[in-house]
Amino acid sequence: MFRLVDLKPLAVDNGQNGAASFGYHGNSVGNPKAPNSRRWLVGASMPGKYFTTFEASRLLGVSLPTIVNWIKANRLKAHKTPGGHRRISREDLLGFLRKYQMPVPAELAAETDRALRILAVDDDPDERDLLRAILEGNGYEVELAANGFEAGLLVGAFKPDAVVMDLMMPAMDGFSALAALRKREETADTPVVACSGLSDPASRQKVIAAGFDGHVVKPYPHEELLDLLTRLLRGEPERMARSSH
């Protein structure tokens, strides 16, 4: 699904006679036809990596003035060195790409030694065990929570790359948990997949309106959930119709 956000188009200076276009361009971005790896994204091969504005422009396939303009507009976070030079952290660059639904460059999406982390939230212990088996069997690092409240306590330390969330749970349901995650800076743009037995049209519309990034309906083929997570973790927006029954 495409998350609905109220954003103005990003002005991109293509460096040709001062002309500007809108959107995202460049051949150096991630290839959507890249091999189907279960451990893509987050650039974990570069822990603590910072990019210069020039490196970021090369990585994203845009001009240097475009990067600077995004920073000045407070769209892309940057830090200044004691010498006054801008540096962009790997995490901030990834957060920017996720927020504006841009493809992730191959250098950031390279397969790494650190498995991607998935937080699986479900009040049914059998479902939690099933999710752990599915996800760990495909190379993910998994943490489990029994409800939205527990999930909120875990995200700070676990730092999940994505969340799989049941909807009907005690203490805090999936809708309330999603709203709480979106209010936290570190999880505001983390992909969250609704995973529930609710398949009626009214529930589907509620899932869409809440802002989930995808929806799988129990019982579901394991490959459906895995393929959905792969696409979302690559930064590819997901249309809800493709991930639900």
Side-chain angles (χ1 to χ4, degrees):
M1 158 185 108
F2 288 101
R3 189 179 306 150
L4 299 178
V5 289
D6 183 16
L7 296 173
K8 296 180 180 179
L10 294 180
V12 177
D13 177 0
N14 59 26
Q16 297 177 353
N17 300 322
S21 58
F22 288 90
Y24 186 69
H25 71 282
N27 294 327
S28 63
V29 298
N31 182 355
K33 296 182 180 179
N36 184 15
S37 169
R38 301 299 180 196
R39 298 169 65 187
W40 278 68
L41 199 65
V42 298
S45 60
M46 299 175 289
K49 171 70 176 180
Y50 281 80
F51 301 95
T52 65
T53 51
F54 175 78
E55 288 173 335
S57 69
R58 179 192 58 80
L59 196 60
L60 271 59
V62 299
S63 69
L64 180 59
T66 294
I67 296 292
V68 174
N69 288 337
W70 286 344
I71 294 172
K72 289 181 177 179
N74 294 320
R75 289 172 172 167
L76 176 59
K77 292 182 181 179
H79 308 275
K80 279 194 175 182
T81 67
H85 301 290
R86 292 187 176 96
R87 295 292 183 269
I88 304 164
S89 73
R90 181 197 67 215
E91 291 78 12
D92 288 338
L93 191 57
L94 282 167
F96 172 82
L97 294 173
R98 287 174 176 169
K99 181 175 182 178
Y100 291 97
Q101 300 181 344
M102 295 177 177
V104 177
E107 289 183 48
L108 290 181
E111 193 170 12
T112 70
D113 291 334
R114 179 180 80 73
L116 292 171
R117 300 185 181 113
I118 307 294
L119 175 61
V121 190
D122 200 300
D123 62 317
D124 186 331
D126 291 335
E127 287 291 334
R128 292 198 300 273
D129 289 343
L130 176 61
L131 283 168
R132 182 191 288 279
I134 294 170
L135 296 170
E136 287 187 345
N138 283 271
Y140 291 111
E141 181 180 348
V142 180
E143 186 65 81
L144 302 176
N147 54 58
F149 181 75
E150 285 188 12
L153 295 177
L154 288 171
V155 292
F158 184 57
K159 301 185 187 307
D161 298 299
V163 179
V164 177
M165 183 88 68
D166 188 22
L167 296 180
M168 299 294 102
M169 298 179 290
M172 179 183 285
D173 65 20
F175 296 104
S176 299
L178 175 67
L181 291 175
R182 293 293 181 243
K183 291 178 181 178
R184 299 174 63 153
E185 183 177 359
E186 67 270 29
T187 54
D189 300 303
T190 301
V192 182
V193 174
C195 182
S196 77
L198 301 176
S199 60
D200 59 282
S203 296
R204 172 177 164 73
Q205 288 302 316
K206 189 175 181 181
V207 168
I208 293 173
F212 283 93
D213 297 278
H215 185 201
V216 292
V217 178
K218 303 174 184 177
Y220 51 85
H222 299 171
E223 293 77 10
E224 182 180 0
L225 175 61
L226 293 169
D227 289 344
L228 174 57
L229 286 170
T230 297
R231 291 193 297 271
L232 291 173
L233 288 168
R234 284 180 180 172
E236 300 174 16
E238 176 65 19
R239 293 187 185 277
M240 186 70 75
R242 293 175 56 187
S243 56
S244 60
H245 298 279

